[in-house]
Amino acid sequence: MAGLRVTQSFRREPVNRERFAALSDAFRVSRLRAQRYIALYFPFVQTLSTAAGAVVLVLATGEIRNARSRQVR
């Protein structure tokens, strides 16, 4: 809006429209790429966290079984 009068006075509307459209499209593409990365990253981190918790539970269960079997002997 700030440069509207200058653009109109030099009759650069078509040029500036094309430039704005190109910049706008570049921003859209960049933003979509970032959203895809975010959509992959956070589920991956959640899955990794869940898997780590499962590994800890499995190892702890094994340790408890070993401790109980040593007590029985």
Side-chain angles (χ1 to χ4, degrees):
M1 286 299 185
L4 187 60
R5 285 187 176 196
V6 173
T7 298
Q8 288 174 341
S9 66
F10 288 103
R11 298 197 180 272
R12 289 186 47 93
E13 288 108 335
V15 174
N16 286 358
R17 186 180 308 115
E18 290 293 323
R19 184 170 178 239
F20 177 79
L23 290 172
S24 179
D25 189 53
F27 176 75
R28 183 185 59 80
V29 168
S30 173
R31 191 68 197 143
L32 286 173
R33 184 181 317 121
Q35 284 303 122
R36 272 190 228 104
Y37 291 152
I38 289 169
L40 291 173
Y41 175 75
F42 285 108
F44 173 74
V45 170
Q46 183 65 38
T47 302
L48 195 60
S49 174
T50 302
V55 168
V56 168
L57 285 174
V58 168
L59 292 176
T61 302
E63 289 296 319
I64 291 171
R65 283 185 183 162
N66 288 338
R68 284 187 182 172
S69 67
R70 279 185 247 142
Q71 286 177 353
V72 173
R73 291 181 190 173

